[in-house]
Amino acid sequence: MHKGRFVMTLAYKYNPLFKIDIKDVFEKIIEKRPTLRGKHLELYLD
């Protein structure tokens, strides 16, 4: 928790030659944390 928000890091393998598919990233998040389905998610990429 950070300032009342749940924070999760996700290791995601991708090829830097191609754009990151945001829909695929959200699917991976829902696979790992199915309770987040239908909730408001904020995604920050580093």
Side-chain angles (χ1 to χ4, degrees), residues 1 5 8 12 22-23 26 28 30 33 36 42:
M1 294 292 286
R5 291 183 180 243
M8 179 184 114
Y12 182 79
I22 299 298
K23 288 182 181 182
F26 276 109
K28 297 289 183 191
I30 298 303
R33 302 285 190 263
L36 296 176
E42 293 181 19

Side-chain angles (χ1 to χ4, degrees), residues 7-23:
V7 177
M8 179 184 114
T9 58
L10 176 71
Y12 182 79
K13 292 185 180 184
Y14 71 98
N15 185 339
L17 293 175
F18 303 103
K19 291 183 178 181
I20 295 176
D21 183 12
I22 299 298
K23 288 182 181 182

Side-chain angles (χ1 to χ4, degrees), residues 32-46:
K32 294 283 264 183
R33 302 285 190 263
T35 57
L36 296 176
R37 185 180 310 279
K39 304 241 169 94
H40 175 76
L41 300 175
E42 293 181 19
L43 182 63
Y44 298 94
L45 303 173
D46 185 16

